[in-house]
Amino acid sequence: MDRRNQILNGILSSPVQIRDFVNNPEFDNMFQSLWHNYLLNEEAETSVAYWADRFNDTKAFVVATRLLSKGGWIIVKMNPTTHWGTIKLNGSKLLKWVSKEELKQVRKEFKFNKYMMPASGSSVDNIAKTPKGKIDIGLSRPGTAKAGQNKFKYDNKMLWKYRKPIIQNVTKSMRKLAQQIDIALEDETGYAYISEELVNAYIAEPDKEFCMGKALMDSRGRAIFEGLSKVANPIGFKDFRALIKIEPRPLNPLAYSQVFLAISELLGYKLPSVEERIQAGREAYQKRILPKIDMTTDEGREELHERIWLERIYKALENPSQWDVPIELDQTASALQFMGILLNDKGLLDGTNVIGSELKDIWTIDGLARNQVKKAITPRIYGSQAEPAKLWNKNHIKYNICDVKTINNEINHGRFATANMFKDFIIDNANPEEEMKIKIFNEEFTVFCNKYETRGEYIQPYVAYDTEAKEIRVIKHTHTKRVADLDSFRTYLVTLLIHNLDSQLADHIANNVDWIIPIYDAFIIHPNDAKTVRKLFVDFMLEISNNRDTILKDYFQSINIDLKTNKRAIIQWNKLQEKIEKVGEFIPQGTALK
């Protein structure tokens, strides 16, 4: 393929003669990286130091930068004053084969394809994203990999109906940034424009199928789907979650109650029993109740997905023999659920609906807004030591001194006290290492420290050919020495336990349901599968409860908590146990998935 056709097809091979002369395995990697960066942003620059380190051969790197510069392929800037060097592809070189308009179209198509939802997945289920790279750490998630291949479409009629506010939601962050720095939105190769084009494409191709794509996992086992980086993916964009169309199946008689529960949840009904919520959902359908949405503001459009989902459910109920609208089941405060099971804590389990018949909302506290409670508590149980006032300020939540007293009382003495003490016990007594073998329930795997601190600096000279100066220049780049921060790493050990367990649960459910999209601790499913998912949830939670002592013992040994001779740890653990109101017979409820 000649150069012109290469470029028009979004391809640019490196110049063969220069590549062969340089003879370094990183040459092609650098050239392709510069090309892809250019396609995303024509002014994109990369650090000279980065590629010099990758080449690991000063002479080869100098030759590469000199020959590519003289050939007009790249622009290298070496500034000895600031000790900084950059390298980028020279877009002007490409005008030898294509016009500016053609190049703009190539860049637009590249971005369009890059941000389009994937159409296929992969059966690979054992690769984790870690500080050491994407590697096998001993975990396997076959259910998640299978779920990544599940096909779906978008409801293009509903997408067309709400096209404008949906686009505004998709581009919200970009518009806010433009306002903050007082600039115009990007041109037609920019994110905002491409996002709108993608929405238009989803409307224009109603039969096109997508999936969440290849599934990596983080170092705890939680899914990182390829589709997460795409515009309008149903995990990151709730409007598109509400627009999912799945393979039609007749709604079975037992699934109607699950649909009415979903309606009740979407309308925010907080009734105390399942039966009342089912009845409220049925009446809402009969009256076709929809939430009122202010489409003129970003805040008003935040709940647009609820209206879209309800409209689609109401319409689907008119023809239940061809049911293609999924519903969502979401764990109630999953971290508190798992802490409650591991500690056999009646308060946490009852507050998160794992036990008991009366449905509750653990985030509801008299005198406080629900958002206040959730924003103050969630980071704390995941390891943060930040005070509620600081967390509220960060989230621009208004509060007064009475609010602070109320939430602190709940943290230290109320419903969240045992969860807070458990978090503190792990952080205070763990003795982490840079690399550890971890055992949690049925899994053994390796984790690496992901927290670092700076310990001194060192100066490294870098040599490259400066394109404009037409000479070889040296910059002295100051590197910081980064070492493992094992003290900060302690906070990670709380989420390591909780999120590994919820990822085991998610994979177990995904592996036993035909069509599903797991979203960490929530599940998008056909209503026919809701009872199956609830039973899988109940059985898994019962197994965790039955093995909780062994799970904790194994985990504490993995992170070097000594409950035999460490007096501080023993005292802290005993105080936590004294605080817990124990459950007698543990009977988990499927309604913990709301």
Side-chain angles (χ1 to χ4, degrees), residues 64-126:
T65 54
R66 179 170 63 84
L67 293 179
L68 287 173
S69 290
K70 287 190 171 184
W73 289 105
I74 63 172
I75 297 174
V76 182
K77 296 178 182 178
M78 299 284 283
N79 191 327
T81 304
T82 61
H83 302 293
W84 187 247
T86 60
I87 180 172
K88 71 174 184 178
L89 193 80
N90 180 16
S92 299
K93 173 75 172 181
L94 308 180
L95 299 179
K96 178 179 177 181
W97 298 284
V98 295
S99 68
K100 285 184 178 181
E101 285 304 311
E102 287 174 324
L103 195 52
K104 181 181 284 189
Q105 183 63 26
V106 168
R107 293 183 57 235
K108 186 166 72 171
E109 289 177 2
F110 176 82
K111 284 189 176 183
F112 183 89
N113 292 325
K114 179 179 176 64
Y115 292 121
M116 172 72 77
M117 284 295 296
S120 63
S122 169
S123 59
V124 176
D125 63 11
N126 65 335

Side-chain angles (χ1 to χ4, degrees), residues 3 20 29 32 60 77 100 236 299 301 332 378 384 398 408 445 459 504 538:
R3 283 291 183 200
D20 291 346
N29 293 333
Q32 292 307 312
K77 296 178 182 178
K100 285 184 178 181
E299 292 71 23
R301 289 189 298 272
T332 305
T378 303
S384 172
K398 294 181 180 180
N408 280 332
F445 57 102
I459 295 174
Q504 288 193 48
V538 165

Side-chain angles (χ1 to χ4, degrees), residues 573-588:
W573 183 251
N574 288 339
K575 284 184 177 180
L576 170 57
Q577 294 301 309
E578 290 169 6
K579 188 78 173 176
I580 296 170
E581 181 184 355
K582 300 290 185 178
V583 176
E585 184 183 5
F586 178 66
I587 306 175

